Amino acid sequence: MARGFLWRPRALCFPVFNEEDQAVSKSSRFKSLLTSALLVGLSTAIPLHAQPGEWVNHVVQIAPPPQPPAIALPVTLPRDNPAHEGWAMQQPNQSMVYNVSKPTLLPMPSSLPADKEAPAIILVPGGGYLYLAMENEGFHVADRLDRQGVRVFILKYRTLPVPDSYPAFIEALKGTFQTGANRGKIGDDIPFAVSDTQAAIRMVRAHAKEWHIDPARIGILGFSAGAMTALSTTQANLPDARPDFVGLIYGPTQAGPVPPKAPPLFAAIAADDRFFAKQDLGLIHDWRLSGSSVEFHLFSAGGHGFASHPNGTTSDLWFDEFALWLKDMKITAPN
């Protein structure tokens, strides 16, 4: 059952910071890591029997909703986007934000004691790089992670610029998810999303003591395009922006680079995923052969975008499996 926003104004222990921009490598390999088969990632939940792209017809414009105070992230890979940030909703109650031009972290309210050291997870929503699925892969998941004893941040990374109007956003959605006319542009955003994810990891690690976070237990959990971004961030293997653990939910599984001493990996996908199901499982195989820990769940059904959407399939259990994995990896404490 879809719910409204889970964020509630509570006392936050995370201050807002603005930092100087930092230099970052503009490595071109981020684009080469992902083939065109990956560039159709979608993070909005799709009814299992709906026509591809049909969900776009039900998107409506909404006013910007309440959000936690944002932590500004340094922009290490500049890009001009003069359009205003906009919000829309896929009925029922699944908000999306587009034209994100300034990357920020949203620290989610925590039920943990303010001075208790805990692991942190940065959520990286998907949306084909055109928007961010803020509820399905953000607020709802954050609420469940909080119950696992994790401090949670949602990353609002920069999205592909579209003209400054709601009708233009809808046309862009149709071009990406219905006609396919805009799919070639998706890869253009990967370096910016990766740069913002790296900045997020640096920010959390730099303030770990102040925010009562264990600096050796900072991970990322990405969905769809966010999983592509989380994987590319991990593969980049920058010493100061390397996650300690990584989760990929309905993301890429095909063979790709495995970084030296790769962090523990959790991956889950449904066998009937419309976008990634035809990929081989080379990434999982190579990660395992590297000697690093990997847990992989191939659910028999569930489609794409099942993060917070029960389908009556085994994919409904993905979060329970992820929570058990966090305990098994000694990232979170046992019950």
Side-chain angles (χ1 to χ4, degrees):
M1 178 80 60
R3 294 183 290 171
F5 277 104
L6 294 174
W7 178 72
R8 298 170 295 277
R10 287 194 260 163
L12 298 176
C13 60
F14 305 104
V16 177
F17 285 92
N18 291 276
E19 295 195 352
E20 297 293 332
D21 286 359
Q22 301 174 3
V24 70
S25 170
K26 298 181 181 180
S27 171
S28 62
R29 75 182 187 128
F30 293 131
K31 288 185 180 180
S32 65
L33 291 174
L34 303 166
T35 66
S36 58
L38 294 177
L39 300 183
V40 294
L42 168 66
S43 66
T44 302
I46 306 172
L48 295 182
H49 303 293
Q51 292 297 313
E54 193 274 339
W55 62 272
V56 174
N57 301 326
H58 304 286
V59 173
V60 297
Q61 187 176 18
I62 63 172
Q67 299 173 74
I71 300 171
L73 293 172
V75 175
T76 57
L77 190 60
R79 178 177 62 188
D80 183 42
N81 179 10
H84 294 88
E85 181 177 294
W87 286 77
M89 181 175 290
Q90 182 207 4
Q91 297 175 323
N93 301 322
Q94 293 302 320
S95 63
M96 54 182 71
V97 61
Y98 60 94
N99 266 332
V100 179
S101 60
K102 297 179 180 179
T104 58
L105 270 181
L106 301 182
M108 299 308 297
S110 176
S111 61
L112 293 169
D115 59 350
K116 178 179 175 58
E117 185 178 81
I121 291 181
I122 300 168
L123 296 179
V124 190
Y129 295 105
L130 188 58
Y131 67 91
L132 305 180
M134 293 299 291
E135 284 191 273
N136 183 33
E137 297 160 0
F139 296 113
H140 292 322
V141 178
D143 187 70
R144 298 176 77 181
L145 283 171
D146 173 63
R147 302 170 203 167
Q148 303 300 316
V150 175
R151 298 200 186 278
V152 187
F153 300 80
I154 299 174
L155 172 61
K156 285 179 66 178
Y157 58 90
R158 288 169 290 172
T159 57
L160 284 166
V162 298
D164 199 359
S165 72
Y166 175 71
F169 171 62
I170 294 299
E171 287 306 307
L173 281 179
K174 291 179 179 178
T176 299
F177 299 114
Q178 291 184 346
T179 69
N182 296 336
R183 286 180 183 167
K185 298 178 182 179
I186 295 176
D188 295 342
D189 205 59
I190 295 174
F192 299 96
V194 170
S195 174
D196 294 345
T197 307
Q198 292 170 338
I201 294 172
R202 293 188 188 105
M203 177 69 76
V204 174
R205 188 160 285 141
H207 297 284
K209 183 176 180 180
E210 179 183 357
W211 296 344
H212 303 287
I213 290 168
D214 182 349
R217 291 184 293 164
I218 298 173
I220 50 178
L221 177 61
F223 302 82
S224 192
M228 294 163 58
T229 300
L231 176 60
S232 293
T233 300
T234 306
Q235 289 170 323
N237 203 38
L238 296 184
D240 64 342
R242 171 188 165 103
D244 299 306
F245 57 96
V246 59
L248 309 177
I249 311 302
Y250 39 86
T253 61
Q254 70 179 22
V258 178
K261 298 180 180 179
L265 170 68
F266 179 96
I269 194 169
D272 58 351
D273 186 287
R274 288 177 175 167
F275 305 107
F276 296 105
K278 293 184 178 180
Q279 294 184 3
D280 62 36
L281 304 179
L283 178 72
I284 308 303
H285 179 70
D286 293 343
W287 211 282
R288 183 176 63 87
L289 290 185
S290 76
S292 295
S293 175
V294 58
E295 176 152 339
F296 175 62
H297 294 266
L298 178 63
F299 298 111
S300 61
H304 193 85
F306 53 75
S308 302
H309 289 270
N311 289 315
T313 60
T314 53
S315 63
D316 293 351
L317 299 176
W318 81 267
F319 186 87
D320 294 335
E321 298 292 351
F322 181 66
L324 288 171
W325 178 78
L326 290 175
K327 292 181 174 64
D328 188 57
M329 291 290 102
K330 306 297 189 294
I331 296 167
T332 57
N335 292 334

